[in-house]
Amino acid sequence: MDAAAVAAALEDARFFARQDSRHEDLADDVRGRAELAEWERIEQLLAAAAPDTVYDPDTDDVVRAELAAEAAAAAEREAAVRHAQRVEARADELQALRELGTLEQAEPREGDEAVRDELTRRAGSYVQADVGTWLAQALAAHRGHYADPAAREAAAGFLPQPVLAHAALLSALAHLVPAAAPGELTFAARLAAAEPEATADLAALLADATEPTDPTESPA
């Protein structure tokens, strides 16, 4: 578009804006005001450019930035949809394993914290104790994707305090009583569910007590 065409479009936009202002139901038309502001911006752009410059939206930095933002937002929405689909599929898988009684044999994967949340949502916010225990045991034993220290660190931001306290207590007990069978440690889940903060404190105390000491260190 050349300057004359832009000027004509701007005049039309101003005319429609004046018309809208006379009607109460159109006075707050955001789209009309935005269109007028855009034509004013383009007119100023051409006014500051060299004579006979033609407006090309493909070279307009503002338009290009808007298109890039729209594309990024669309990609974000698509990624969110794909993530939700993966979570739902994994939730179906874990639910099937629960029904078969083999959940504890499954290896946790990245994103299973969100799957736990999905199962909780499906159950009407009912606490998923068995899934929480499964994740706590895997976290304590560094199983599945929890073999990665970064994944274990990230779990603190994804899992609720009772699950984290349960995992911490199991980890401490594994060092203190390494021969204990899993069935002997079921009390850890009950403690964590009832008193997560106290359980975390107990786990820290036990971890400190079992921390190997440096034989070369002299007493204070």
Side-chain angles (χ1 to χ4, degrees):
M1 298 178 69
D2 59 18
V6 170
L10 174 57
E11 187 55 36
D12 287 343
R14 286 172 173 162
F15 170 77
F16 288 117
R18 289 193 297 270
Q19 291 294 103
D20 290 348
S21 67
R22 296 170 185 164
H23 298 81
E24 187 176 347
D25 59 330
L26 298 175
D28 294 328
D29 180 19
V30 176
R31 181 176 178 181
R33 290 200 302 272
E35 183 177 347
L36 174 58
E38 180 64 3
W39 283 120
E40 289 175 341
R41 185 189 69 81
I42 293 172
E43 183 190 47
Q44 293 171 3
L45 193 66
L46 287 182
D52 300 324
T53 297
V54 175
Y55 175 73
D56 182 358
D58 290 340
T59 61
D60 187 335
D61 290 341
V62 172
V63 172
R64 292 169 67 181
E66 289 176 349
L67 291 174
E70 289 174 3
E76 230 176 84
R77 289 192 296 271
E78 185 178 346
V81 169
R82 290 198 302 269
H83 173 71
Q85 290 173 339
R86 287 195 298 269
V87 168
E88 290 180 3
R90 178 63 168 164
D92 291 340
E93 180 183 345
L94 293 187
Q95 183 58 43
L97 292 175
R98 293 167 84 179
E99 292 170 1
L100 291 171
T102 57
L103 175 62
E104 67 280 358
Q105 299 172 21
E107 290 292 310
R109 302 175 189 167
E110 182 179 358
D112 276 350
E113 299 88 359
V115 175
R116 174 195 167 278
D117 294 341
E118 170 62 15
L119 289 169
T120 301
R121 185 194 66 78
R122 292 182 182 184
S125 298
Y126 180 76
V127 174
Q128 304 297 290
D130 58 339
V131 180
T133 295
W134 172 64
L135 287 171
Q137 291 173 342
L139 183 57
H142 301 178
R143 282 176 41 220
H145 80 295
Y146 290 134
D148 182 357
R152 297 197 298 274
E153 184 177 348
F158 298 135
L159 293 173
Q161 189 178 15
V163 176
L164 295 172
H166 185 190
L169 183 55
L170 288 177
S171 181
L173 290 171
H175 289 87
L176 187 64
V177 193
E184 297 179 278
L185 303 179
T186 55
F187 67 89
R190 296 194 298 273
L191 283 177
E195 294 287 348
E197 291 184 9
T199 303
D201 290 342
L202 174 61
L205 181 65
L206 294 177
D208 288 342
T210 55
E211 187 73 24
T213 57
D214 185 350
T216 65
E217 184 178 344
S218 59

